[in-house]
Amino acid sequence: MLYPQRNKNRHFVDLSGFWDFRFDPDDKGVGENWTKGFNNGCPIAVPASWNDQFADDRDFLGPAWYQLKFMMPREWDKKKIMIRFGSVNYLSDVRLNGEVVGHHEGGHLPFEYEISDKIVSEDNLLVVRVDGRLSDNHVPPRGRPMNNPQTNFDFYPFCGIHRPVLLYAIPNEGLRDITVRPSIKDTTGILDVTLETVGLNDAYVNLSLKGFGSEITNTSKIELNIQKMTLEVKQAKFWNPETPNLYDLIVEIVKADTIIDSYSLKVGIRTIEVKGDKLLLNGKPIYLTGFGRHEDFPITGRGYVPAVIIKDYSLMNWIGANSFRTSHYPYSEQMMELADRLGFLVIDEIPAVGLTLRKDVIERQQELCDQFIEVLIKRDKNHPSVIMWSLANEPHNSLKSGEFFRKLYDKTKDLDNTRPVTVVNMMGVKEKAFEFCEVLCINRYYGWYLQPGNIDEACELLSKEMDNLYEKHRKPIILSEFGADTIPGWHSQPPEMFSEEYQTEFIKKYIDVCRSKPYVIGEHVWNMCDFKTSQGITRMGSTNYKGVFTRDRRPKMAAHLLRKLWKEKN
Ligand code: BDP
């Protein structure tokens, strides 16, 4: 999946801005033909969640309608024209000039439609109906009425058009996809490149790799729609967190001496593999320091905000984090691009959080998870920063869960056998998916939900449990979540739950346990920042306060401790 690009052959227009918007609490829009355009809309910012943009209706989850008028750039006349949504939560129906364009299910991942035969040169009307209501059949699913909204997961179910909507034009014949697989032999980097093209006769491809003062080129006639080529880079500059070296891979499709399509992709040469109880990057063991996070910010909700992305990377750098997990759903394309550029290691997770795996919904959950991992791998396969796929966070245990994850794991490996796969779990030794996943990720809250207020007892349990798990599977373990809710400015001696002292001691002692075990390869604190969630008796102000930064990104006491521990470690 190629992200839209601007060059001599490709163009895009970003439709971000103020759109027209209307809630539809009686679900009458379809019956009243809002599909062809609606009246009495109010302005709304796109991209952003709708929930916190208005004074009222925060918890209204849908349906709601968006519309926008736009013109097609004149020079796009004979091109293939697409519309691409970066992420819409949760169901969406897209119409252009009154005609159905498509229906999509699932937030946090892109989808796109060809609209060449529907777009007109002037006065196009795009109408999108979005429905974010929770359901047992959705992934992630609805939960029990202990929460309001009734989520089966611990983050606010923000709704709306969350990432940019791009209108783009590409040549009718040309390049459709690029897959790059790096490997290393001594000081040589090898890039196996697969190109997918459509409709090309008598065409050639020029493949070149530029960077660090050198340029390597390879030319070949296009024989099939899938074309495989290899580039060898002597004395290659490898990609790693300390020196995130990126090359430019440039693909040009040439027909009758004219470049009819081209694309430029940033690539990093690195390998990632599990050996014994270690995770090796470029053949050397790595230790992950960092966080489970959320895409969450006041007012914009789960919407894409470039400045927040920059700030978060800057804070992660300040604190000495080298990695994060995209808990509990894929993050924006821009977040991933910057991970490559700034040298962060990413555990890339599909939105399979709180899976119930109940008999009546398991089939649908499997279909959706299959769809999600397929699109995620298509989207993120070329990022050197992505070191692992995560198939779920804390699925419920069921008779069928082993089978469920086996199928999903096999599918993942078919799509990409170059990265380890994990399932993030709370079941400990009983987790069936740990039998085949290469890395074991565990979330633990002894000293918080269990053994409240008793960090020493918590750490003993943690230590024993990790040893048992390792004994059983002999695989590397990441402590993928641990943390304590902390009200900024709340202090106590002796340290009590909710105080800054308690969070600091909790994190310090958990980290001591991790570092005493040679098979533990990473410590990810939950969470980087406080974040919005549903209302419930354990969530004051519908906020999860386990952040080491506040929701507006100010450090708590624990942030300074982590900075010390992580700067020493990395
Ligand atoms: C973990 C979940 C995470 C929650 C966290 C918590 O994976 O989504 O936010 O608990 O309770 O089990 O803070």
Side-chain angles (χ1 to χ4, degrees), residues 310-343:
I310 296 292
K311 176 80 176 190
D312 281 0
Y313 274 119
S314 168
L315 289 176
M316 283 195 277
N317 191 37
W318 173 85
I319 206 169
N322 65 7
S323 55
F324 60 90
R325 174 168 61 112
T326 69
S327 43
H328 292 307
Y329 39 78
Y331 293 176
S332 66
E333 285 90 345
Q334 291 77 7
M335 187 79 192
M336 304 307 288
E337 252 178 61
L338 286 179
D340 291 348
R341 196 162 146 197
L342 301 172

PDB file of all heavy atoms in Angstrom, residues 310-343:
ATOM      1  N   ILE A 310       5.137  15.283  17.420  1.00  0.00           N
ATOM      2  CA  ILE A 310       6.502  15.791  17.599  1.00  0.00           C
ATOM      3  C   ILE A 310       6.826  15.893  19.093  1.00  0.00           C
ATOM      4  O   ILE A 310       7.892  15.460  19.553  1.00  0.00           O
ATOM      5  CB  ILE A 310       6.654  17.183  16.932  1.00  0.00           C
ATOM      6  CG1 ILE A 310       6.451  17.081  15.417  1.00  0.00           C
ATOM      7  CG2 ILE A 310       8.000  17.820  17.271  1.00  0.00           C
ATOM      8  CD1 ILE A 310       7.517  16.332  14.655  1.00  0.00           C
ATOM      9  N   LYS A 311       5.886  16.408  19.857  1.00  0.00           N
ATOM     10  CA  LYS A 311       6.118  16.571  21.303  1.00  0.00           C
ATOM     11  C   LYS A 311       6.345  15.200  21.955  1.00  0.00           C
ATOM     12  O   LYS A 311       7.242  15.027  22.783  1.00  0.00           O
ATOM     13  CB  LYS A 311       4.893  17.264  21.928  1.00  0.00           C
ATOM     14  CG  LYS A 311       4.947  17.423  23.426  1.00  0.00           C
ATOM     15  CD  LYS A 311       5.789  18.604  23.826  1.00  0.00           C
ATOM     16  CE  LYS A 311       5.764  18.810  25.325  1.00  0.00           C
ATOM     17  NZ  LYS A 311       6.368  20.070  25.737  1.00  0.00           N
ATOM     18  N   ASP A 312       5.530  14.220  21.573  1.00  0.00           N
ATOM     19  CA  ASP A 312       5.653  12.898  22.204  1.00  0.00           C
ATOM     20  C   ASP A 312       7.001  12.251  21.879  1.00  0.00           C
ATOM     21  O   ASP A 312       7.624  11.637  22.749  1.00  0.00           O
ATOM     22  CB  ASP A 312       4.499  11.984  21.777  1.00  0.00           C
ATOM     23  CG  ASP A 312       3.226  12.313  22.553  1.00  0.00           C
ATOM     24  OD1 ASP A 312       3.273  13.236  23.398  1.00  0.00           O
ATOM     25  OD2 ASP A 312       2.200  11.657  22.332  1.00  0.00           O
ATOM     26  N   TYR A 313       7.450  12.398  20.643  1.00  0.00           N
ATOM     27  CA  TYR A 313       8.780  11.851  20.326  1.00  0.00           C
ATOM     28  C   TYR A 313       9.860  12.599  21.102  1.00  0.00           C
ATOM     29  O   TYR A 313      10.832  12.008  21.565  1.00  0.00           O
ATOM     30  CB  TYR A 313       9.059  11.907  18.827  1.00  0.00           C
ATOM     31  CG  TYR A 313       8.524  10.691  18.100  1.00  0.00           C
ATOM     32  CD1 TYR A 313       7.567  10.797  17.109  1.00  0.00           C
ATOM     33  CD2 TYR A 313       8.990   9.411  18.431  1.00  0.00           C
ATOM     34  CE1 TYR A 313       7.084   9.668  16.456  1.00  0.00           C
ATOM     35  CE2 TYR A 313       8.507   8.285  17.790  1.00  0.00           C
ATOM     36  CZ  TYR A 313       7.552   8.417  16.799  1.00  0.00           C
ATOM     37  OH  TYR A 313       7.079   7.294  16.176  1.00  0.00           O
ATOM     38  N   SER A 314       9.670  13.891  21.248  1.00  0.00           N
ATOM     39  CA  SER A 314      10.669  14.668  21.958  1.00  0.00           C
ATOM     40  C   SER A 314      10.721  14.238  23.436  1.00  0.00           C
ATOM     41  O   SER A 314      11.795  14.071  24.016  1.00  0.00           O
ATOM     42  CB  SER A 314      10.309  16.143  21.805  1.00  0.00           C
ATOM     43  OG  SER A 314      11.054  16.890  22.680  1.00  0.00           O
ATOM     44  N   LEU A 315       9.546  13.996  24.028  1.00  0.00           N
ATOM     45  CA  LEU A 315       9.525  13.541  25.425  1.00  0.00           C
ATOM     46  C   LEU A 315      10.092  12.126  25.558  1.00  0.00           C
ATOM     47  O   LEU A 315      10.794  11.820  26.524  1.00  0.00           O
ATOM     48  CB  LEU A 315       8.094  13.591  25.976  1.00  0.00           C
ATOM     49  CG  LEU A 315       7.515  14.987  26.218  1.00  0.00           C
ATOM     50  CD1 LEU A 315       6.058  14.889  26.678  1.00  0.00           C
ATOM     51  CD2 LEU A 315       8.335  15.762  27.261  1.00  0.00           C
ATOM     52  N   MET A 316       9.805  11.282  24.587  1.00  0.00           N
ATOM     53  CA  MET A 316      10.342   9.909  24.657  1.00  0.00           C
ATOM     54  C   MET A 316      11.864   9.944  24.551  1.00  0.00           C
ATOM     55  O   MET A 316      12.563   9.186  25.212  1.00  0.00           O
ATOM     56  CB  MET A 316       9.732   9.028  23.566  1.00  0.00           C
ATOM     57  CG  MET A 316       8.320   8.591  23.909  1.00  0.00           C
ATOM     58  SD  MET A 316       7.720   7.221  22.893  1.00  0.00           S
ATOM     59  CE  MET A 316       7.165   8.075  21.441  1.00  0.00           C
ATOM     60  N   ASN A 317      12.342  10.834  23.743  1.00  0.00           N
ATOM     61  CA  ASN A 317      13.785  11.007  23.606  1.00  0.00           C
ATOM     62  C   ASN A 317      14.383  11.554  24.913  1.00  0.00           C
ATOM     63  O   ASN A 317      15.391  11.049  25.421  1.00  0.00           O
ATOM     64  CB  ASN A 317      14.029  11.968  22.437  1.00  0.00           C
ATOM     65  CG  ASN A 317      15.471  11.995  22.054  1.00  0.00           C
ATOM     66  OD1 ASN A 317      16.134  10.963  22.095  1.00  0.00           O
ATOM     67  ND2 ASN A 317      15.967  13.161  21.715  1.00  0.00           N
ATOM     68  N   TRP A 318      13.716  12.543  25.479  1.00  0.00           N
ATOM     69  CA  TRP A 318      14.173  13.169  26.735  1.00  0.00           C
ATOM     70  C   TRP A 318      14.279  12.138  27.862  1.00  0.00           C
ATOM     71  O   TRP A 318      15.223  12.132  28.650  1.00  0.00           O
ATOM     72  CB  TRP A 318      13.179  14.288  27.105  1.00  0.00           C
ATOM     73  CG  TRP A 318      13.408  14.920  28.434  1.00  0.00           C
ATOM     74  CD1 TRP A 318      14.258  15.933  28.727  1.00  0.00           C
ATOM     75  CD2 TRP A 318      12.763  14.569  29.678  1.00  0.00           C
ATOM     76  NE1 TRP A 318      14.188  16.247  30.066  1.00  0.00           N
ATOM     77  CE2 TRP A 318      13.288  15.420  30.673  1.00  0.00           C
ATOM     78  CE3 TRP A 318      11.794  13.616  30.034  1.00  0.00           C
ATOM     79  CZ2 TRP A 318      12.882  15.358  32.012  1.00  0.00           C
ATOM     80  CZ3 TRP A 318      11.382  13.545  31.368  1.00  0.00           C
ATOM     81  CH2 TRP A 318      11.922  14.413  32.332  1.00  0.00           C
ATOM     82  N   ILE A 319      13.303  11.223  27.875  1.00  0.00           N
ATOM     83  CA  ILE A 319      13.236  10.283  29.011  1.00  0.00           C
ATOM     84  C   ILE A 319      14.112   9.043  28.779  1.00  0.00           C
ATOM     85  O   ILE A 319      14.325   8.243  29.692  1.00  0.00           O
ATOM     86  CB  ILE A 319      11.756   9.910  29.283  1.00  0.00           C
ATOM     87  CG1 ILE A 319      11.548   9.506  30.734  1.00  0.00           C
ATOM     88  CG2 ILE A 319      11.251   8.832  28.343  1.00  0.00           C
ATOM     89  CD1 ILE A 319      10.097   9.385  31.143  1.00  0.00           C
ATOM     90  N   GLY A 320      14.601   8.884  27.540  1.00  0.00           N
ATOM     91  CA  GLY A 320      15.466   7.729  27.274  1.00  0.00           C
ATOM     92  C   GLY A 320      14.718   6.489  26.817  1.00  0.00           C
ATOM     93  O   GLY A 320      15.228   5.375  26.933  1.00  0.00           O
ATOM     94  N   ALA A 321      13.493   6.663  26.299  1.00  0.00           N
ATOM     95  CA  ALA A 321      12.764   5.513  25.748  1.00  0.00           C
ATOM     96  C   ALA A 321      13.355   5.201  24.369  1.00  0.00           C
ATOM     97  O   ALA A 321      13.731   6.114  23.640  1.00  0.00           O
ATOM     98  CB  ALA A 321      11.286   5.853  25.605  1.00  0.00           C
ATOM     99  N   ASN A 322      13.438   3.918  24.039  1.00  0.00           N
ATOM    100  CA  ASN A 322      13.887   3.568  22.684  1.00  0.00           C
ATOM    101  C   ASN A 322      12.792   2.859  21.899  1.00  0.00           C
ATOM    102  O   ASN A 322      13.015   2.438  20.768  1.00  0.00           O
ATOM    103  CB  ASN A 322      15.158   2.696  22.733  1.00  0.00           C
ATOM    104  CG  ASN A 322      14.919   1.341  23.384  1.00  0.00           C
ATOM    105  OD1 ASN A 322      13.780   0.980  23.697  1.00  0.00           O
ATOM    106  ND2 ASN A 322      15.984   0.579  23.599  1.00  0.00           N
ATOM    107  N   SER A 323      11.593   2.739  22.515  1.00  0.00           N
ATOM    108  CA  SER A 323      10.563   1.911  21.870  1.00  0.00           C
ATOM    109  C   SER A 323       9.187   2.212  22.446  1.00  0.00           C
ATOM    110  O   SER A 323       9.072   2.817  23.514  1.00  0.00           O
ATOM    111  CB  SER A 323      10.888   0.441  22.126  1.00  0.00           C
ATOM    112  OG  SER A 323      11.013   0.216  23.523  1.00  0.00           O
ATOM    113  N   PHE A 324       8.162   1.757  21.753  1.00  0.00           N
ATOM    114  CA  PHE A 324       6.795   1.805  22.282  1.00  0.00           C
ATOM    115  C   PHE A 324       5.945   0.775  21.569  1.00  0.00           C
ATOM    116  O   PHE A 324       6.332   0.242  20.528  1.00  0.00           O
ATOM    117  CB  PHE A 324       6.174   3.206  22.147  1.00  0.00           C
ATOM    118  CG  PHE A 324       6.065   3.716  20.737  1.00  0.00           C
ATOM    119  CD1 PHE A 324       4.928   3.469  19.970  1.00  0.00           C
ATOM    120  CD2 PHE A 324       7.099   4.446  20.159  1.00  0.00           C
ATOM    121  CE1 PHE A 324       4.823   3.952  18.663  1.00  0.00           C
ATOM    122  CE2 PHE A 324       7.002   4.923  18.851  1.00  0.00           C
ATOM    123  CZ  PHE A 324       5.866   4.674  18.110  1.00  0.00           C
ATOM    124  N   ARG A 325       4.807   0.477  22.191  1.00  0.00           N
ATOM    125  CA  ARG A 325       3.825  -0.410  21.551  1.00  0.00           C
ATOM    126  C   ARG A 325       2.653   0.451  21.114  1.00  0.00           C
ATOM    127  O   ARG A 325       2.245   1.350  21.851  1.00  0.00           O
ATOM    128  CB  ARG A 325       3.363  -1.476  22.546  1.00  0.00           C
ATOM    129  CG  ARG A 325       2.239  -2.362  22.035  1.00  0.00           C
ATOM    130  CD  ARG A 325       2.037  -3.582  22.935  1.00  0.00           C
ATOM    131  NE  ARG A 325       1.684  -3.205  24.281  1.00  0.00           N
ATOM    132  CZ  ARG A 325       0.480  -3.440  24.843  1.00  0.00           C
ATOM    133  NH1 ARG A 325      -0.471  -4.044  24.159  1.00  0.00           N
ATOM    134  NH2 ARG A 325       0.248  -3.082  26.091  1.00  0.00           N
ATOM    135  N   THR A 326       2.108   0.191  19.941  1.00  0.00           N
ATOM    136  CA  THR A 326       0.968   0.982  19.475  1.00  0.00           C
ATOM    137  C   THR A 326      -0.299   0.436  20.134  1.00  0.00           C
ATOM    138  O   THR A 326      -1.244   0.026  19.470  1.00  0.00           O
ATOM    139  CB  THR A 326       0.819   0.957  17.933  1.00  0.00           C
ATOM    140  OG1 THR A 326       0.420  -0.365  17.540  1.00  0.00           O
ATOM    141  CG2 THR A 326       2.103   1.352  17.217  1.00  0.00           C
ATOM    142  N   SER A 327      -0.297   0.456  21.470  1.00  0.00           N
ATOM    143  CA  SER A 327      -1.467  -0.013  22.215  1.00  0.00           C
ATOM    144  C   SER A 327      -2.592   0.986  21.964  1.00  0.00           C
ATOM    145  O   SER A 327      -2.339   2.190  22.025  1.00  0.00           O
ATOM    146  CB  SER A 327      -1.146  -0.088  23.690  1.00  0.00           C
ATOM    147  OG  SER A 327      -0.408   1.068  24.076  1.00  0.00           O
ATOM    148  N   HIS A 328      -3.808   0.589  21.721  1.00  0.00           N
ATOM    149  CA  HIS A 328      -4.245  -0.775  21.460  1.00  0.00           C
ATOM    150  C   HIS A 328      -4.803  -0.848  20.043  1.00  0.00           C
ATOM    151  O   HIS A 328      -5.849  -1.425  19.804  1.00  0.00           O
ATOM    152  CB  HIS A 328      -5.319  -1.183  22.449  1.00  0.00           C
ATOM    153  CG  HIS A 328      -4.850  -1.328  23.851  1.00  0.00           C
ATOM    154  ND1 HIS A 328      -3.763  -2.114  24.204  1.00  0.00           N
ATOM    155  CD2 HIS A 328      -5.299  -0.816  25.008  1.00  0.00           C
ATOM    156  CE1 HIS A 328      -3.592  -2.062  25.510  1.00  0.00           C
ATOM    157  NE2 HIS A 328      -4.501  -1.273  26.020  1.00  0.00           N
ATOM    158  N   TYR A 329      -4.080  -0.188  19.113  1.00  0.00           N
ATOM    159  CA  TYR A 329      -4.542  -0.056  17.719  1.00  0.00           C
ATOM    160  C   TYR A 329      -3.397   0.586  16.925  1.00  0.00           C
ATOM    161  O   TYR A 329      -2.524   1.239  17.503  1.00  0.00           O
ATOM    162  CB  TYR A 329      -5.795   0.840  17.647  1.00  0.00           C
ATOM    163  CG  TYR A 329      -5.700   2.020  18.593  1.00  0.00           C
ATOM    164  CD1 TYR A 329      -4.925   3.129  18.265  1.00  0.00           C
ATOM    165  CD2 TYR A 329      -6.300   1.992  19.849  1.00  0.00           C
ATOM    166  CE1 TYR A 329      -4.772   4.194  19.146  1.00  0.00           C
ATOM    167  CE2 TYR A 329      -6.144   3.052  20.747  1.00  0.00           C
ATOM    168  CZ  TYR A 329      -5.378   4.149  20.385  1.00  0.00           C
ATOM    169  OH  TYR A 329      -5.205   5.188  21.256  1.00  0.00           O
ATOM    170  N   PRO A 330      -3.397   0.420  15.616  1.00  0.00           N
ATOM    171  CA  PRO A 330      -2.321   1.038  14.827  1.00  0.00           C
ATOM    172  C   PRO A 330      -2.364   2.563  14.919  1.00  0.00           C
ATOM    173  O   PRO A 330      -3.441   3.158  14.949  1.00  0.00           O
ATOM    174  CB  PRO A 330      -2.653   0.585  13.397  1.00  0.00           C
ATOM    175  CG  PRO A 330      -3.506  -0.624  13.567  1.00  0.00           C
ATOM    176  CD  PRO A 330      -4.312  -0.394  14.803  1.00  0.00           C
ATOM    177  N   TYR A 331      -1.196   3.174  14.961  1.00  0.00           N
ATOM    178  CA  TYR A 331      -1.108   4.634  15.009  1.00  0.00           C
ATOM    179  C   TYR A 331      -1.022   5.200  13.589  1.00  0.00           C
ATOM    180  O   TYR A 331      -0.914   4.463  12.616  1.00  0.00           O
ATOM    181  CB  TYR A 331       0.111   5.066  15.840  1.00  0.00           C
ATOM    182  CG  TYR A 331       0.003   4.739  17.317  1.00  0.00           C
ATOM    183  CD1 TYR A 331       1.059   4.991  18.180  1.00  0.00           C
ATOM    184  CD2 TYR A 331      -1.157   4.179  17.863  1.00  0.00           C
ATOM    185  CE1 TYR A 331       0.968   4.702  19.545  1.00  0.00           C
ATOM    186  CE2 TYR A 331      -1.249   3.885  19.217  1.00  0.00           C
ATOM    187  CZ  TYR A 331      -0.185   4.144  20.056  1.00  0.00           C
ATOM    188  OH  TYR A 331      -0.274   3.859  21.393  1.00  0.00           O
ATOM    189  N   SER A 332      -0.991   6.527  13.517  1.00  0.00           N
ATOM    190  CA  SER A 332      -1.035   7.168  12.195  1.00  0.00           C
ATOM    191  C   SER A 332       0.212   6.828  11.364  1.00  0.00           C
ATOM    192  O   SER A 332       1.279   6.538  11.911  1.00  0.00           O
ATOM    193  CB  SER A 332      -1.133   8.682  12.353  1.00  0.00           C
ATOM    194  OG  SER A 332       0.059   9.172  12.936  1.00  0.00           O
ATOM    195  N   GLU A 333       0.103   6.937  10.081  1.00  0.00           N
ATOM    196  CA  GLU A 333       1.231   6.726   9.162  1.00  0.00           C
ATOM    197  C   GLU A 333       2.384   7.658   9.508  1.00  0.00           C
ATOM    198  O   GLU A 333       3.551   7.286   9.429  1.00  0.00           O
ATOM    199  CB  GLU A 333       0.824   7.016   7.712  1.00  0.00           C
ATOM    200  CG  GLU A 333      -0.040   5.964   7.068  1.00  0.00           C
ATOM    201  CD  GLU A 333      -1.527   6.208   7.274  1.00  0.00           C
ATOM    202  OE1 GLU A 333      -1.895   7.023   8.152  1.00  0.00           O
ATOM    203  OE2 GLU A 333      -2.319   5.568   6.573  1.00  0.00           O
ATOM    204  N   GLN A 334       2.026   8.882   9.894  1.00  0.00           N
ATOM    205  CA  GLN A 334       3.052   9.888  10.185  1.00  0.00           C
ATOM    206  C   GLN A 334       3.845   9.509  11.440  1.00  0.00           C
ATOM    207  O   GLN A 334       5.050   9.726  11.519  1.00  0.00           O
ATOM    208  CB  GLN A 334       2.385  11.257  10.366  1.00  0.00           C
ATOM    209  CG  GLN A 334       1.800  11.835   9.082  1.00  0.00           C
ATOM    210  CD  GLN A 334       0.460  11.215   8.665  1.00  0.00           C
ATOM    211  OE1 GLN A 334      -0.135  10.420   9.375  1.00  0.00           O
ATOM    212  NE2 GLN A 334      -0.007  11.578   7.484  1.00  0.00           N
ATOM    213  N   MET A 335       3.153   8.918  12.411  1.00  0.00           N
ATOM    214  CA  MET A 335       3.833   8.446  13.624  1.00  0.00           C
ATOM    215  C   MET A 335       4.854   7.367  13.245  1.00  0.00           C
ATOM    216  O   MET A 335       5.969   7.335  13.772  1.00  0.00           O
ATOM    217  CB  MET A 335       2.769   7.865  14.567  1.00  0.00           C
ATOM    218  CG  MET A 335       3.278   7.487  15.921  1.00  0.00           C
ATOM    219  SD  MET A 335       3.454   8.926  16.991  1.00  0.00           S
ATOM    220  CE  MET A 335       4.392   8.189  18.332  1.00  0.00           C
ATOM    221  N   MET A 336       4.482   6.511  12.308  1.00  0.00           N
ATOM    222  CA  MET A 336       5.365   5.415  11.914  1.00  0.00           C
ATOM    223  C   MET A 336       6.561   5.943  11.117  1.00  0.00           C
ATOM    224  O   MET A 336       7.696   5.499  11.310  1.00  0.00           O
ATOM    225  CB  MET A 336       4.597   4.379  11.076  1.00  0.00           C
ATOM    226  CG  MET A 336       3.365   3.818  11.738  1.00  0.00           C
ATOM    227  SD  MET A 336       3.645   3.141  13.383  1.00  0.00           S
ATOM    228  CE  MET A 336       4.537   1.678  12.977  1.00  0.00           C
ATOM    229  N   GLU A 337       6.282   6.889  10.255  1.00  0.00           N
ATOM    230  CA  GLU A 337       7.374   7.487   9.463  1.00  0.00           C
ATOM    231  C   GLU A 337       8.424   8.123  10.371  1.00  0.00           C
ATOM    232  O   GLU A 337       9.621   7.990  10.149  1.00  0.00           O
ATOM    233  CB  GLU A 337       6.784   8.613   8.632  1.00  0.00           C
ATOM    234  CG  GLU A 337       6.688   8.323   7.174  1.00  0.00           C
ATOM    235  CD  GLU A 337       6.028   9.508   6.499  1.00  0.00           C
ATOM    236  OE1 GLU A 337       6.590  10.633   6.553  1.00  0.00           O
ATOM    237  OE2 GLU A 337       4.933   9.288   5.973  1.00  0.00           O
ATOM    238  N   LEU A 338       7.932   8.800  11.416  1.00  0.00           N
ATOM    239  CA  LEU A 338       8.874   9.455  12.331  1.00  0.00           C
ATOM    240  C   LEU A 338       9.616   8.442  13.201  1.00  0.00           C
ATOM    241  O   LEU A 338      10.743   8.693  13.622  1.00  0.00           O
ATOM    242  CB  LEU A 338       8.157  10.489  13.194  1.00  0.00           C
ATOM    243  CG  LEU A 338       7.784  11.773  12.445  1.00  0.00           C
ATOM    244  CD1 LEU A 338       7.049  12.735  13.352  1.00  0.00           C
ATOM    245  CD2 LEU A 338       9.020  12.465  11.875  1.00  0.00           C
ATOM    246  N   ALA A 339       9.002   7.310  13.478  1.00  0.00           N
ATOM    247  CA  ALA A 339       9.712   6.262  14.227  1.00  0.00           C
ATOM    248  C   ALA A 339      10.932   5.814  13.432  1.00  0.00           C
ATOM    249  O   ALA A 339      12.024   5.627  13.981  1.00  0.00           O
ATOM    250  CB  ALA A 339       8.787   5.090  14.516  1.00  0.00           C
ATOM    251  N   ASP A 340      10.759   5.675  12.108  1.00  0.00           N
ATOM    252  CA  ASP A 340      11.900   5.308  11.245  1.00  0.00           C
ATOM    253  C   ASP A 340      12.979   6.389  11.338  1.00  0.00           C
ATOM    254  O   ASP A 340      14.162   6.104  11.476  1.00  0.00           O
ATOM    255  CB  ASP A 340      11.474   5.229   9.772  1.00  0.00           C
ATOM    256  CG  ASP A 340      10.546   4.068   9.471  1.00  0.00           C
ATOM    257  OD1 ASP A 340      10.403   3.185  10.338  1.00  0.00           O
ATOM    258  OD2 ASP A 340       9.970   4.041   8.362  1.00  0.00           O
ATOM    259  N   ARG A 341      12.508   7.616  11.217  1.00  0.00           N
ATOM    260  CA  ARG A 341      13.449   8.729  11.089  1.00  0.00           C
ATOM    261  C   ARG A 341      14.168   9.025  12.407  1.00  0.00           C
ATOM    262  O   ARG A 341      15.346   9.366  12.417  1.00  0.00           O
ATOM    263  CB  ARG A 341      12.636   9.946  10.649  1.00  0.00           C
ATOM    264  CG  ARG A 341      13.469  11.035  10.124  1.00  0.00           C
ATOM    265  CD  ARG A 341      12.610  11.993   9.328  1.00  0.00           C
ATOM    266  NE  ARG A 341      13.149  13.329   9.510  1.00  0.00           N
ATOM    267  CZ  ARG A 341      12.500  14.434   9.242  1.00  0.00           C
ATOM    268  NH1 ARG A 341      11.263  14.376   8.795  1.00  0.00           N
ATOM    269  NH2 ARG A 341      13.064  15.594   9.426  1.00  0.00           N
ATOM    270  N   LEU A 342      13.444   8.868  13.518  1.00  0.00           N
ATOM    271  CA  LEU A 342      14.028   9.232  14.815  1.00  0.00           C
ATOM    272  C   LEU A 342      14.624   8.025  15.546  1.00  0.00           C
ATOM    273  O   LEU A 342      15.183   8.173  16.630  1.00  0.00           O
ATOM    274  CB  LEU A 342      12.977   9.914  15.688  1.00  0.00           C
ATOM    275  CG  LEU A 342      12.378  11.196  15.080  1.00  0.00           C
ATOM    276  CD1 LEU A 342      11.211  11.694  15.926  1.00  0.00           C
ATOM    277  CD2 LEU A 342      13.442  12.288  14.956  1.00  0.00           C
ATOM    278  N   GLY A 343      14.461   6.846  14.989  1.00  0.00           N
ATOM    279  CA  GLY A 343      15.105   5.666  15.573  1.00  0.00           C
ATOM    280  C   GLY A 343      14.373   5.072  16.765  1.00  0.00           C
ATOM    281  O   GLY A 343      14.977   4.797  17.797  1.00  0.00           O
TER     282      GLY A 343
END
